[in-house]
Amino acid sequence: MSEASNSRDGAVVVLPSPENDKPAVLIIGGLGYIGRYLALYIHENELASEVRLVDKVLPQLAWLAPEFAEACSPDKFMQADATREQSLPKIFTPAKAAEYTYVFNCGGETRFSQDDSVYAARSVALSLTLARECARRCTPAFVEFSTGMVYKPPSSSTISSGGCTETANLKPWLKLAKHKLAAEEGLEKIRKDSEKQGGKEELRYTVLRLAHVWGEYDNGFLARCLCLARVYQEKGEEMKWLYGRELRINTVHVTDVASAAWAAALYIAGTPSTNPELSAPSGRIFNIVDRGDTSQVHLAAIIHDIFNIPTGFQNSLISTFAKFNLESVVDDVNEEMLQPWADLLSEKGIKRQGPIGPYMEKELLRDYDLCLNGGKAVKVLGWKAQNAKMDVEGVKRVVDSYKRQNWWP
């Protein structure tokens, strides 16, 4: 058997090595959306000697589809709260290996519009607790997932030149993003502090700043859009977007996030700490985005093709009003959409609503471009998105996945 390495064309490349030399892998938040796909990627490509998935949620309550049964099997699962330091010895003790080789933090609060205290406790505290433990154990690779929403919204010239690079100005425009950035800064502080321990501690970390993640069983940004489209289809009405047609909502498929995470772990584990590229925090950060430069008009066209409904954009007057009255606008949309969605579920005989729905969060309706430049990940990690862009066929597969799980009316 063999251990996977990064490649120059996005495919999995293998390097000869004994079976027992494969890395032992720990995934925190292993039953979350990214965590389960990362586990599936590792399982299907036989990349690890052992895998442990840690989550506060039991598998029976995690809405796992059948294809994750082996990758997320009960023998790999541990229910634990990784923010509790007393849980760390149990979490970080592998079944077979001496130590975990790669630790992936897919955990943390993913809901929008939460109180700052929620993000501080569930996201920032989690990241820093794990980082300190990885530093103490000198874990070869700690991979942290962040968001591209930490960047200052880009100018038109930045967009035309390919989007925000990893050294772009930072100005988080969501509360979730603000705390993701706080976690990133905390990791760098822990790394610098560990350097003062005379080789007794070392934090070898990397950060992936993600575009909007989508894929089969999606329950985030795209799911809301699709559920809204289904209600508009039922009502026979036009679905209109706020703000401009060219507003960037860059995307990346969840399976490509999984392959990028593995490539990043290989890179940080195999790169000497003395490498000048790792001396600045930005050297450890990678934007993960597809090549489609997804915009609102792109998604609107996909919705039109799948649901056969007219789509368009509100005029500038309405968009300006919405920008300054987001709370009331969102309340009106939810009031208009939630009951028809519930009626559709009832008519379909769906008694237990799945993890998707048209409920809209105020923070999701910001007039800010999410436009990322992914060139560094391609050049340094040898990573390449296999799903080059969001397209009609890909989104149809998402809807089909909802139907298989009996989530879709």
Side-chain angles (χ1 to χ4, degrees), residues 111-334:
R111 294 175 299 171
F112 296 100
S113 306
Q114 303 299 299
D115 289 338
D116 287 328
S117 59
V118 173
Y119 293 118
R122 297 180 184 175
S123 294
V124 180
L126 173 64
S127 297
L128 302 190
T129 298
L130 294 172
R132 283 190 289 267
E133 187 67 13
C134 286
R136 190 180 70 81
R137 294 172 179 265
C138 296
T139 303
F142 174 61
V143 180
E144 172 80 3
F145 292 88
S146 186
T147 173
M149 297 175 194
V150 298
Y151 295 113
K152 180 181 179 180
S155 64
S156 57
S157 61
T158 298
I159 292 173
S160 62
S161 63
C164 296
T165 66
E166 289 79 358
T167 57
N169 291 332
L170 301 172
K171 188 178 180 181
W173 39 276
L174 294 181
K175 284 197 287 186
L176 180 151
K178 181 180 76 172
H179 289 85
K180 284 292 189 183
L181 182 57
E184 292 184 26
E185 293 169 346
L187 297 187
E188 180 61 12
K189 183 178 185 302
I190 293 171
R191 183 189 72 81
K192 289 182 177 179
D193 289 345
S194 70
E195 289 181 342
K196 302 173 184 177
Q197 301 303 314
K200 295 180 180 179
E201 294 186 2
E202 182 183 17
L203 179 61
R204 301 179 60 82
Y205 81 91
T206 183
V207 174
L208 305 185
R209 291 177 177 165
L210 308 179
H212 286 298
V213 181
W214 70 284
E216 294 182 23
Y217 312 107
D218 177 277
N219 62 359
F221 170 79
L222 179 62
R224 287 180 172 87
C225 184
L226 295 176
C227 293
L228 285 169
R230 178 67 184 90
V231 174
Y232 279 109
Q233 182 188 47
E234 183 67 16
K235 298 173 73 171
E237 295 177 2
E238 181 180 14
M239 183 173 175
K240 285 191 173 184
W241 270 255
L242 288 172
Y243 315 127
R245 296 164 54 88
E246 298 305 323
L247 185 73
R248 295 309 199 274
I249 48 172
N250 281 187
T251 53
V252 62
H253 197 277
V254 65
T255 56
D256 290 315
V257 173
S259 66
W262 190 260
L266 288 170
Y267 170 75
I268 205 68
T271 303
S273 300
T274 54
N275 188 312
E277 293 293 327
L278 301 183
S279 59
S282 60
R284 299 170 177 271
I285 295 170
F286 297 93
N287 293 335
I288 305 301
V289 61
D290 64 30
R291 303 186 296 282
D293 193 24
T294 311
S295 62
Q296 288 204 133
V297 70
H298 181 182
L299 182 55
I302 292 173
I303 294 296
H304 168 76
D305 288 348
I306 293 176
F307 293 91
N308 194 28
I309 58 173
T311 57
F313 294 84
Q314 301 287 4
N315 62 43
S316 59
L317 182 63
I318 293 176
S319 292
T320 300
F321 172 84
K323 185 185 299 187
F324 293 102
N325 298 273
L326 269 182
E327 192 161 345
S328 62
V329 169
V330 170
D331 287 345
D332 289 345
V333 170
N334 286 331

Side-chain angles (χ1 to χ4, degrees), residues 21-39:
D21 283 349
K22 288 184 179 182
V25 174
L26 174 62
I27 305 176
I28 307 298
L31 298 185
Y33 188 58
I34 292 174
R36 68 185 64 181
Y37 270 98
L38 177 57

